[in-house]
Amino acid sequence: MKSKIFNLAALALMLIGTASCGDSWLEVESKTESTTDNYFKTENDAARALIGCYDGWQCTISNGPTFSIHYLTELLGDQCFGGTGANDVRNSQVVDRWDIAQDPSQVNLFNDLWEYYYAAIYRCNELLSHEDQIAWSSDAVKGQYMGEARAIRGILYFDLVRLFENVPLLTAPSSENLPQADPKDVYAQIVSDLKYAAENIPADAYPKSSAADNDGRITPYAAKALLARVYLFFSGVYGGEPGDLTKAEALQGLEDIVASKEYSLVPLYKNLWYCASTTTDDAYNEVSTYAGDGNSEVILAQKFNYTSDYNGNAGGNNGIQMFSIRGGTFKAPYGQGWGGATVPKAVVASYPMGDQRRTASIIDLKSEGIEDMDEYQKALPDQREYTGYTNKKYTARSKYFQAADGSWSLTHYYNDVMAGDFQISQPIDFVIMRYADVLLMAAELGSSNAQNYFNEVRQRAYMEDDGQGNAVLGGYYQAKSPSKENILEERRLEFAFEGQRWFDLRRQDANGAIAASAIAAANGEVVQSGGSDETMSYVPSNVTSKRGFLQIPNTQIQLSNGVLKQNAGW
């Protein structure tokens, strides 16, 4: 029997070079006259289909799923509360507290996310299934294009299996009604795809010297870094090794990245993030030390643009507005959003003295003068789970613009021009992999240079600007050994609000008990919801009963006629 295991309307976004969202290299002319019967003959056909694969991956966020993976994973962990509006549905609270009782109607929280992921996988499978009928000019070009397509498929499945654990595994362009695969088989496919990419994408396909143009493209270094991430998650949750990936191979891939000298840490941590490195002077001039998109530390970033509209042309990072300050645009460089993922006071207090990552990562609404503004005080009663702190790394941007009459106004913007709707026109990259992650993973996997790698990341956290633009080590820095405990703590501080914390928590044991304990540490913190005090409450068994995996969307179970089974605890 065959049936839809996901909404095939999502696949109508398909396929060959019909990209509607993304950076400039993703934008090509529509080729609606092309079909799978008359296509896939030339390298140009393959190149355009590969753009469709990247576009499909991008659309898992830009098409506006209720929970983009970045926002979703921040709510799942211990560094954010649900937040959003005081009168909104409690879907963010269902996720944050792992508790469907927060809103029993939310049985399809992740249906759109599921559909967009499988639509993107379908695109990759379509291209890969026609590999042998394309007239390749060389094995290098074939390896590059097929390697990128396989890597995208590997990334998509890695996200799905880490979130849901039990997912169908399709490696051909099919809508067959398959049961959920053994997670070990999914991981074996992920490893196979990423290994192919690491071995076949030429090292000079997208050199770092042109990162400003190509930092959205997958390189062999990105594939090797992702393989290490796969190894660490699988071995932590299931024990053993994923597919045919050994610990030694995972580590060697990281050492290859270091040895390539293609990447380096940005000297001052704040300069990794636009809003952490940008201010406005008294004359309304923007002053920024931002290292830029595609800087020396970026190994892989998911690209977005600001040209989205409400007619199906989506290119913006639709997770950004969920993190951003609710109620309006109050102070540059921060823009407007929906006030999700508020940061617990205990998280703010956990940063050691002198660690520059705290102010670079977190907006302090009080000390930065926003909380006391009359406009914000009027907006505050509409905020749920207000703590006074929110995400600075991934937040909407604003800038002052001067009108013809000489007056100044604060407006959502992109690249010095007023942009479109703040809800959909967010061009901010989502960084998938940084060089700091490579160093810390290599230290965790037992590199002989573990101490040096660990020191490099940790010392950067305490580097201060000497007033001349130079980075100097602050007096609060204290050396530590690269024990697993210390590395995980460093990861918590280094990658806060970057979508990694939940997975780092979850991979520490088989059933999610360590993650559950970390989340429950917020019990008793008092927040403001709708202007009134609320005491936060978490139940560890809400996580462990589900083993830290999400509910399968009810719609998908129904479409499958019960072939798909709900995860335990939901």
Side-chain angles (χ1 to χ4, degrees):
M1 179 185 70
K2 294 194 175 184
S3 177
K4 292 185 287 188
I5 63 168
F6 49 85
N7 186 352
L8 288 181
L11 295 182
L13 297 170
M14 228 346 247
L15 190 188
I16 310 156
T18 57
S20 62
C21 46
D23 205 18
S24 57
W25 60 270
L26 285 178
E27 295 164 2
V28 298
E29 293 181 5
S30 175
K31 300 292 180 180
T32 55
E33 74 280 5
S34 299
T35 70
T36 55
D37 292 329
N38 63 19
Y39 204 69
F40 297 110
K41 295 179 180 179
T42 69
E43 284 182 355
N44 185 59
D45 296 340
R48 285 171 41 217
L50 178 59
I51 289 171
C53 296
Y54 275 102
D55 178 69
W57 177 34
Q58 182 200 67
C59 285
T60 61
I61 293 178
S62 63
N63 269 12
T66 304
F67 292 97
S68 67
I69 187 170
H70 185 191
Y71 181 59
L72 172 61
T73 51
E74 287 306 319
L75 296 190
L76 292 174
D78 63 339
Q79 293 189 315
C80 293
F81 294 140
T84 69
N87 298 307
D88 289 349
V89 297
R90 295 185 66 82
N91 52 6
S92 289
Q93 282 61 44
V94 170
V95 175
D96 177 48
R97 306 192 195 191
W98 289 83
D99 183 11
I100 193 67
Q102 295 288 322
D103 187 342
S105 70
Q106 301 295 322
V107 295
N108 271 313
L109 274 177
F110 314 117
N111 189 61
D112 48 5
L113 185 74
W114 182 284
E115 289 183 347
Y116 292 138
Y117 266 81
Y118 275 103
I121 289 168
Y122 191 102
R123 295 186 185 197
C124 296
N125 286 341
E126 188 72 63
L127 172 56
L128 292 168
S129 71
H130 292 86
E131 174 181 345
D132 293 336
Q133 72 187 63
I134 296 168
W136 300 104
S137 62
S138 68
D139 288 341
V141 174
K142 176 182 176 180
Q144 177 180 334
Y145 290 4
M146 295 298 99
E148 289 179 74
R150 287 177 186 272
I152 294 169
R153 183 173 67 180
I155 291 169
L156 293 163
Y157 270 124
F158 188 36
D159 286 349
L160 286 171
V161 76
R162 284 186 296 173
L163 291 172
F164 298 100
E165 186 177 42
N166 300 300
V167 299
L169 178 61
L170 293 93
T171 56
S174 167
S175 59
E176 187 176 359
N177 189 22
L178 297 178
Q180 288 128 308
D182 185 326
K184 292 183 180 179
D185 293 336
V186 180
Y187 278 98
Q189 184 62 53
I190 294 166
V191 168
S192 175
D193 282 342
L194 291 175
K195 273 194 170 185
Y196 182 98
E199 294 166 1
N200 289 279
I201 299 175
D204 61 353
Y206 304 111
K208 192 62 185 176
S209 59
S210 59
D213 296 322
N214 291 327
D215 64 337
R217 302 300 287 258
I218 295 169
T219 66
Y221 302 121
K224 289 178 180 182
L226 289 165
L227 279 167
R229 187 175 283 173
V230 171
Y231 183 91
L232 285 168
F233 189 87
F234 183 92
S235 61
V237 175
Y238 302 102
E241 298 173 335
D244 63 354
L245 178 65
T246 67
K247 181 178 181 180
E249 286 178 309
L251 174 57
Q252 185 57 54
L254 299 174
E255 299 286 20
D256 290 346
I257 297 170
V258 176
S260 76
K261 300 188 184 302
E262 287 278 324
Y263 307 96
S264 61
L265 297 183
V266 169
L268 289 172
Y269 187 84
K270 69 173 185 176
N271 292 341
L272 284 167
W273 313 104
Y274 176 84
C275 285
S277 59
T278 303
T279 58
T280 301
D281 64 21
D282 293 339
Y284 299 104
N285 295 310
E286 189 177 81
V287 180
S288 182
T289 56
Y290 177 47
D293 299 343
N295 59 64
S296 67
E297 193 162 335
V298 175
I299 294 176
L300 179 62
Q302 199 170 13
K303 304 294 289 184
F304 300 92
N305 66 28
Y306 68 100
T307 60
S308 299
D309 59 33
Y310 289 103
N311 297 316
N313 301 304
N317 187 340
N318 270 322
I320 294 297
Q321 82 277 8
M322 295 306 301
F323 290 108
S324 304
I325 298 171
R326 188 176 184 86
T329 302
F330 301 102
K331 182 178 180 181
Y334 310 127
Q336 180 178 359
W338 298 126
T342 56
V343 178
K345 299 180 184 74
V347 170
V348 181
S350 70
Y351 281 80
M353 186 70 72
D355 191 327
Q356 302 298 304
R357 292 173 295 196
R358 183 180 69 81
T359 55
S361 304
I362 300 168
I363 300 172
D364 183 334
L365 292 155
K366 178 71 172 179
S367 69
E368 295 188 44
I370 298 171
E371 185 181 273
D372 295 331
M373 296 174 68
D374 289 342
E375 297 92 334
Y376 189 68
Q377 283 295 312
K378 294 175 183 176
L380 191 54
D382 191 37
Q383 173 72 55
R384 177 182 285 157
E385 295 169 355
Y386 176 77
T387 65
Y389 304 98
T390 191
N391 181 342
K392 187 179 289 188
K393 292 179 177 178
Y394 288 103
T395 192
R397 301 171 184 174
S398 69
K399 183 176 180 177
Y400 286 96
F401 288 87
Q402 190 171 24
D405 63 3
S407 63
W408 291 85
S409 61
L410 191 59
T411 310
H412 167 58
Y413 89 104
Y414 173 68
N415 270 5
D416 292 328
V417 297
M418 285 183 279
D421 192 303
F422 77 91
Q423 298 178 75
I424 60 175
S425 299
Q426 298 291 349
I428 301 168
D429 289 0
F430 177 27
V431 178
I432 306 295
M433 183 70 66
R434 290 198 282 115
Y435 184 59
D437 207 344
V438 167
L439 295 175
L440 290 179
M441 286 193 294
E444 187 173 350
L445 286 170
S447 170
S448 59
N449 292 312
Q451 185 71 67
N452 290 336
Y453 294 163
F454 182 72
N455 289 350
E456 194 173 345
V457 175
R458 182 168 166 73
Q459 286 178 359
R460 197 264 300 270
Y462 291 83
M463 289 290 182
E464 301 173 1
D465 192 326
D466 67 355
Q468 304 298 317
N470 302 309
V472 295
L473 188 60
Y476 289 103
Y477 172 77
Q478 294 180 343
K480 288 185 176 181
S481 66
S483 65
K484 183 171 183 178
E485 179 182 14
N486 286 342
I487 290 171
L488 287 170
E489 174 64 3
E490 206 62 31
R491 292 184 63 85
R492 180 182 75 83
L493 300 168
E494 178 72 21
F495 304 118
F497 321 118
E498 295 181 48
Q500 295 306 313
R501 173 60 175 170
W502 163 247
F503 296 127
D504 279 345
L505 282 172
R506 180 61 193 87
R507 68 180 174 86
Q508 293 184 50
D509 59 29
N511 66 359
I514 291 175
S517 177
I519 291 168
N523 280 340
E525 180 162 330
V526 178
V527 298
Q528 283 191 325
S529 293
S532 299
D533 287 351
E534 177 185 359
T535 301
M536 301 300 291
S537 178
Y538 293 84
V539 180
S541 62
N542 285 345
V543 180
T544 55
S545 66
K546 304 171 180 68
R547 295 186 50 254
F549 294 106
L550 301 180
Q551 59 172 278
I552 306 299
N554 189 58
T555 292
Q556 301 307 314
I557 294 173
Q558 292 175 337
L559 285 171
S560 76
N561 293 321
V563 171
L564 299 184
K565 307 300 181 184
Q566 186 56 268
N567 283 337
W570 289 102

